[in-house]
Amino acid sequence: MNFGGFLDNSSGGGGGIDGGVGGARIAADIPYSNGNHMPTGAIAQPRLVSQSLSTKAMFNSPGLSLALQTGMEGQGELARMGENYESSIVGGRRSRDEEHESRSGSDNMEVASGDDQDASDKPPRKKRYHRHTPQQIQELEALFKECPHPDEKQRLELSKRLCLETRQVKFWFQNRRTQMKTQLERHENSILRQENDKLRAENMSIREAMKNPICNNCGGAAIIGEISLEEQHLRIENARLKDELDRVCALAGKFLGRPISSLASTIGPPMSNPSLDFGFGSNGFGDLNVVPTTLPLGPHDFGVGISSPLSVMPQTKSTMNVTPIERSLERSMYLELALTAMDELVKLAQTDEPLWLRNLENGKEILNHEEYMRTFTPCIGMKPSGFVTEASRETGMVIINSLALVETLMDSNKWQEMFPCMIARTSTTDVISNGMGGTRNGALHLMHAELQVLSPLVPARKVDFLRFCKQHAEGIWAVVDVSIDAIREAAGAPTFPNCRRLPSGCVVQDMPNGYSKVTWIEHAEYEENVVHRLYRPLISAGMGFGAQRWVATLQRQCECLAILMSSTIQSRDHHSAITPSGRRSMLKLAQRMTDNFCAGVCASTVHEWNKFSARNVDEDVRVMTRKSIDDPGEPPGIVLSASTSVWLPVSPQRLFDFLRDERLRSEWDILSNGGPMQEMAHIAKGQDHGNCVSLLRASAMNANQRSMLILQETCIDAAGSLVVYAPVDIPAMHVVMNGGDSAYVALLPSGFAIVPDGPGSRGSMDGNPGHRASGSLLTVAFQILVNSLPAAKLTVESVETVNNLISCTVQKIKAALNCES
């Protein structure tokens, strides 16, 4: 349009700015064109111009005239905004937005030269607008689809091709982008308006429904007042929490073996607990009531969407890299596995025939595997190829109460101390639950153990397993172990492929006389090829790792503890030189000696042993070395351990009596100097005379030879026997016998381990003449200091010396017992 028609109702062209009726005009202050240019892109504030102003008065004002003149030359985007704003308030005419869209931003102002805009010489000149041609609009639209923001080079090229100025092209693209934005906003507003109408309608329907509520129980009208929004949220949250509580109570009922009432635990006193029929058949546990134990609910996540009733301990190193979701899923699988294993253990303990069959030859129980497969579903998967199964059950009376035994089994250190000859090493890798109500009921631990038979011909069994403890009734507890190989394999974690521990453990019942009745179950799958053929009958019969050995060791150790806890310790001290505290120091020293002996025989990871191979060493002799550094209980230097196992055609009892008798020691021991030994002190550790700790003295052969003391511990039970000894320093033993610290007495143990060669030989161990005695398996082991320098290298001569020592000792024992083979 021209400026002369600015305030008229008629405009100077189709692309001009209409005067309109009423309202206000918007002009934009833009850079001057007379040489005093503002910075490129600067935009001045819009001004409202009243329609009542006259044309003449308006342009007689130099400042206002200049503002309007420069406003028409400014940026086209704000000019178009002014058009849209004006047209939106004018009624009865075509919308400026529609006109703007129909033109597609084609109205552009002809730009005057700098001379025409000299305000000091000439009055402002009217500008005229023109429409772009359809061809120009088509070209501009095509480029806009490809590039809504063309750069300077593209605009210049397009302006030359379309015979337009660069500023015209620039303003067209600005207006086109503004148009697109406006269309999108209008579309979004329409959608939001529809959604708002829909929500308003739903809100009205809900309000109408809330005015006439219906009772869920009877279906009639519910009489309630107005419910606030906060109360509605609380009711929804209460329903969700109640549903979660029901799931927890269902899990707890399975966990404790009895139903749990969620209502009773939340709004009133605990309901009376039903009795649990825990009859154990011929084992005689009978019907007992369930312990009234309440179930505390905690905030810890024990599974997927389940609040744990157990106290969860912090993460350990083995689970630091596991995400919370993975850990939650893993713990849920652990709980399911533990509950399944506990059910299986209880059934194995209470069921007799046809699940358990009695061996007519030795009276021992044998698991009927066909009946077992029909009764139970494998909880850790199918048996791997090449594995064989061993299963055993043993019942015995033990002088310990159920709570003390459960505490011993759930503490890895106490468990190892109770079974030192069977457990090479153990640790608790994760405490999933430590029990409830200050007890071990519900305790669930993840453990690692190395189980051993004292022979170099039987590799140690390394197992990762769950240990779950549960109180079934007053005075009745059960502790079950089960391997987690199936879960570890599914997670891609490493496993120990030579052994799997199926549900195994013990059921303990308190007896009126202070004893406990223990039913022990051992069930495992192992790779038989790794076991030497000499020991395969023993292992397959369950006498190496079986229930008989666990119960026999438990009975012997508890008997020893009962004697030690009594007011007096039985001793046969010839010179009365040992004080009561000295006896305890000697027993502690003997225990350390036996532990080191077992670690040397089985090459456990307690010490870093290095296997040594030599051509002149027998095939069944295992030679290992290790460095002893900064250990006050051992002499420093290179320690060599050599061990072997042989079969002897004598009964285990006869072999044990021969080896422990100090009067016959000169027939096989080179340390005896060829003469008899004298017992200087004797401390009993059990009712059997074979369970004791002795201090022996070897007589000197001549005046130049010093006498020597030997500390010896012997033990025997229904599963086997042990003779361990070590030379000790006389001044150091004087300190120990007076109650001094035994940790600083340096010693290296040697000795013998004796077991029957199979099920038929057990009778000779328990004195039953009706059982067949075929022979014994004898393990001989020596630990010798071959060099006092830890950095020294082992020589072949040292290995030959120890090999000859073993061979000579075995030959002397055979000769003395007249059992040359």
Side-chain angles (χ1 to χ4, degrees):
M1 64 172 267
N2 53 32
F3 287 108
F6 184 80
L7 296 177
D8 296 335
N9 291 334
S10 60
S11 58
I17 303 177
D18 295 335
V21 179
R25 305 298 184 102
I26 299 180
D29 295 337
I30 58 174
Y32 295 97
S33 60
N34 57 358
N36 299 326
H37 294 284
M38 293 178 63
T40 303
I43 301 175
Q45 297 296 328
R47 298 181 181 179
L48 291 178
V49 183
S50 175
Q51 190 176 2
S52 62
L53 295 175
S54 65
T55 308
K56 184 175 181 181
M58 182 176 182
F59 287 99
N60 286 338
S61 175
L64 184 59
S65 173
L66 187 61
L68 289 174
Q69 177 184 357
T70 55
M72 293 301 100
E73 297 174 350
Q75 298 188 15
E77 185 175 0
L78 289 179
R80 292 293 176 263
M81 291 175 60
E83 286 182 15
N84 295 337
Y85 178 80
E86 177 186 324
S87 61
S88 65
I89 61 175
V90 178
R93 300 180 59 184
R94 194 161 67 100
S95 171
R96 282 295 174 185
D97 288 339
E98 296 175 359
E99 181 181 354
H100 179 67
E101 293 173 8
S102 66
R103 290 197 308 267
S104 300
S106 62
D107 293 332
N108 286 276
M109 180 179 60
E110 290 185 357
V111 181
S113 64
D115 296 336
D116 294 337
Q117 299 182 23
D118 191 350
S120 61
D121 298 333
K122 299 178 182 179
R125 193 176 66 180
K126 297 179 181 180
K127 308 297 178 185
R128 63 186 181 86
Y129 286 77
H130 68 86
R131 292 179 179 272
H132 294 322
T133 64
Q135 181 182 2
Q136 290 175 335
I137 294 175
Q138 185 178 2
E139 291 284 343
L140 291 170
E141 289 286 353
L143 181 61
F144 181 83
K145 292 179 181 179
E146 298 178 1
C147 180
H149 294 272
D151 54 18
E152 186 67 28
K153 182 179 179 181
Q154 290 175 314
R155 291 197 299 267
L156 180 60
E157 181 182 352
L158 188 60
S159 64
K160 291 179 180 180
R161 190 168 68 247
L162 301 179
C163 299
L164 295 174
E165 294 186 10
T166 306
R167 293 179 61 188
Q168 289 179 298
V169 175
K170 177 180 178 181
F171 294 154
W172 187 92
F173 275 92
Q174 289 178 349
N175 295 337
R176 191 69 177 89
R177 289 194 296 267
T178 303
Q179 176 189 348
M180 290 295 295
K181 182 178 179 181
T182 303
Q183 291 174 350
L184 289 175
E185 290 177 351
R186 188 180 298 121
H187 180 68
E188 291 177 357
N189 289 338
S190 176
I191 295 176
L192 292 175
R193 190 179 299 109
Q194 294 176 2
E195 292 181 356
N196 188 33
D197 294 339
K198 182 180 179 181
L199 291 175
R200 186 180 294 107
E202 291 180 357
N203 188 23
M204 293 298 296
S205 62
I206 292 175
R207 287 179 179 273
E208 291 295 329
M210 290 176 61
K211 293 180 181 179
N212 300 308
I214 299 176
C215 179
N216 293 329
N217 296 327
C218 63
I223 304 176
I224 59 174
E226 289 292 331
I227 302 176
S228 64
L229 182 61
E230 181 180 3
E231 186 175 354
Q232 295 179 35
H233 290 168
L234 290 176
R235 291 193 177 193
I236 295 173
E237 181 68 13
N238 184 47
R240 186 187 66 81
L241 293 175
K242 184 179 179 181
D243 182 64
E244 183 177 355
L245 179 60
D246 291 339
R247 293 199 308 269
V248 170
C249 290
L251 178 63
K254 185 178 181 181
F255 185 78
L256 293 178
R258 59 186 176 88
I260 298 295
S261 174
S262 61
L263 234 59
S265 62
T266 55
I267 62 175
M271 299 177 62
S272 59
N273 294 301
S275 61
L276 174 66
D277 185 8
F278 199 74
F280 275 73
S282 62
N283 289 330
F285 283 98
D287 299 338
L288 296 172
N289 292 329
V290 178
V291 178
T293 306
T294 58
L295 181 67
L297 298 178
H300 305 289
D301 184 24
F302 194 81
V304 181
I306 300 176
S307 296
S308 171
L310 310 175
S311 56
V312 181
M313 302 297 288
Q315 296 186 11
T316 58
K317 294 181 179 179
S318 63
T319 56
M320 287 298 290
N321 295 328
V322 181
T323 63
I325 296 179
E326 292 174 340
R327 181 174 176 82
S328 177
L329 291 173
E330 185 180 56
R331 287 180 173 231
S332 178
M333 290 187 290
Y334 285 163
L335 176 60
E336 288 295 329
L337 179 59
L339 292 171
T340 304
M342 179 61 71
D343 292 341
E344 181 173 324
L345 177 74
V346 171
K347 291 179 181 179
L348 287 173
Q350 71 179 4
T351 307
D352 293 326
E353 295 184 359
L355 188 59
W356 292 95
L357 304 177
R358 190 167 297 276
N359 190 326
L360 299 178
E361 184 179 357
N362 55 19
K364 287 296 156 186
E365 292 179 310
I366 302 174
L367 181 65
N368 185 346
H369 293 285
E370 294 182 358
E371 183 67 22
Y372 173 83
M373 295 303 296
R374 284 194 295 265
T375 306
F376 303 103
T377 301
C379 60
I380 61 173
M382 301 304 295
K383 181 172 63 176
S385 177
F387 277 44
V388 296
T389 303
E390 64 165 283
S392 57
R393 183 172 75 171
E394 186 77 11
T395 301
M397 305 298 294
V398 184
I399 183 170
I400 190 174
N401 62 67
S402 60
L403 292 177
L405 180 55
V406 165
E407 183 65 29
T408 299
L409 296 176
M410 298 307 298
D411 188 310
S412 59
N413 295 326
K414 294 180 180 179
W415 182 46
Q416 185 175 10
E417 292 174 0
M418 182 65 76
F419 303 94
C421 299
M422 301 185 65
I423 304 173
R425 192 172 190 174
T426 184
S427 62
T428 301
T429 57
D430 192 11
V431 178
I432 301 174
S433 167
N434 219 7
M436 297 178 295
T439 69
R440 291 293 189 176
N441 185 26
L444 181 60
H445 294 183
L446 183 60
M447 304 179 71
H448 171 79
E450 297 178 19
L451 308 179
Q452 63 185 4
V453 170
L454 295 180
S455 172
L457 306 183
V458 181
R461 291 182 176 179
K462 299 180 180 180
V463 288
D464 285 325
F465 59 94
L466 287 171
R467 174 158 291 181
F468 178 43
C469 178
K470 181 179 178 181
Q471 184 179 12
H472 289 272
E474 185 67 36
I476 294 183
W477 292 76
V479 179
V480 65
D481 298 344
V482 60
S483 289
I484 58 172
D485 290 351
I487 299 177
R488 287 284 176 88
E489 289 174 359
T495 59
F496 302 103
N498 65 339
C499 176
R500 301 200 314 167
R501 193 166 171 82
L502 278 72
S504 306
C506 62
V507 177
V508 187
Q509 179 187 4
D510 284 330
M511 304 302 291
N513 59 354
Y515 282 69
S516 292
K517 186 176 183 179
V518 178
T519 299
W520 203 289
I521 307 289
E522 278 298 315
H523 195 187
E525 296 172 345
Y526 65 97
E527 188 177 4
E528 190 177 33
N529 293 334
V530 299
V531 181
H532 194 278
R533 62 181 181 276
L534 198 62
Y535 276 81
R536 288 180 185 178
L538 180 79
I539 301 301
S540 63
M543 299 177 63
F545 298 96
Q548 174 196 354
R549 190 179 176 205
W550 288 100
V551 173
T553 303
L554 180 63
Q555 290 173 327
R556 173 170 53 82
Q557 287 289 95
C558 290
E559 185 180 12
C560 176
L561 291 175
I563 294 176
L564 295 179
M565 294 173 63
S566 62
S567 57
T568 59
I569 300 179
Q570 301 180 19
S571 65
R572 193 163 66 237
D573 182 5
H574 300 285
H575 299 284
S576 300
I578 306 179
T579 63
S581 60
R583 296 188 184 100
R584 286 180 167 79
S585 295
M586 280 189 61
L587 292 174
K588 186 176 181 180
L589 178 61
Q591 182 63 52
R592 177 163 65 88
M593 176 182 66
T594 302
D595 292 344
N596 289 342
F597 171 77
C598 296
V601 172
C602 297
S604 69
T605 56
V606 176
H607 299 297
E608 295 183 1
W609 291 102
N610 298 316
K611 292 186 178 181
F612 184 86
S613 300
R615 276 186 267 172
N616 52 355
V617 177
D618 295 339
E619 180 182 357
D620 294 337
V621 176
R622 181 167 63 188
V623 179
M624 302 179 298
T625 61
R626 63 181 175 88
K627 295 180 180 180
S628 177
I629 304 174
D630 298 332
D631 187 353
E634 291 181 345
I638 301 296
V639 178
L640 187 146
S641 173
S643 58
T644 189
S645 296
V646 296
W647 176 84
L648 297 178
V650 295
S651 67
Q653 184 71 51
R654 181 187 174 194
L655 183 58
F656 173 72
D657 292 337
F658 169 75
L659 293 174
R660 75 180 182 91
D661 192 344
E662 71 276 5
R663 296 167 298 180
L664 304 176
R665 196 178 187 96
S666 59
E667 298 187 25
W668 59 267
D669 189 5
I670 62 173
L671 298 178
S672 64
N673 296 326
M677 284 193 173
Q678 181 182 0
E679 186 179 57
M680 303 298 298
H682 179 98
I683 303 176
K685 295 181 61 179
Q687 297 295 329
D688 195 301
H689 295 296
N691 293 318
C692 65
V693 173
S694 304
L695 188 61
L696 309 178
R697 184 178 66 183
S699 303
M701 297 298 295
N702 51 61
N704 297 328
Q705 188 177 14
R706 294 177 56 189
S707 59
M708 178 178 53
L709 293 180
I710 293 179
L711 180 67
Q712 176 177 282
E713 179 177 17
T714 60
C715 55
I716 185 172
D717 54 43
S721 57
L722 199 65
V723 177
V724 183
Y725 63 93
V728 291
D729 187 57
I730 295 178
M733 285 307 301
H734 280 303
V735 175
V736 172
M737 293 167 66
N738 290 323
D741 189 1
S742 62
Y744 296 94
V745 179
L747 51 80
L748 289 175
S750 300
F752 308 94
I754 306 168
V755 293
D757 63 351
S761 297
R762 182 189 177 247
S764 299
M765 294 296 294
D766 59 14
N768 191 338
H771 293 161
R772 177 176 59 87
S774 58
S776 304
L777 295 176
L778 174 66
T779 297
V780 185
F782 293 97
Q783 291 188 38
I784 300 174
L785 185 70
V786 295
N787 199 309
S788 58
L789 299 177
K793 293 184 179 181
L794 184 66
T795 62
V796 178
E797 291 77 9
S798 300
V799 177
E800 291 179 352
T801 301
V802 176
N803 184 51
N804 293 335
L805 176 61
I806 288 182
S807 300
C808 182
T809 302
V810 172
Q811 292 301 325
K812 286 185 176 183
I813 293 173
K814 290 181 178 180
L817 296 175
N818 298 320
C819 55
E820 291 290 342
S821 57

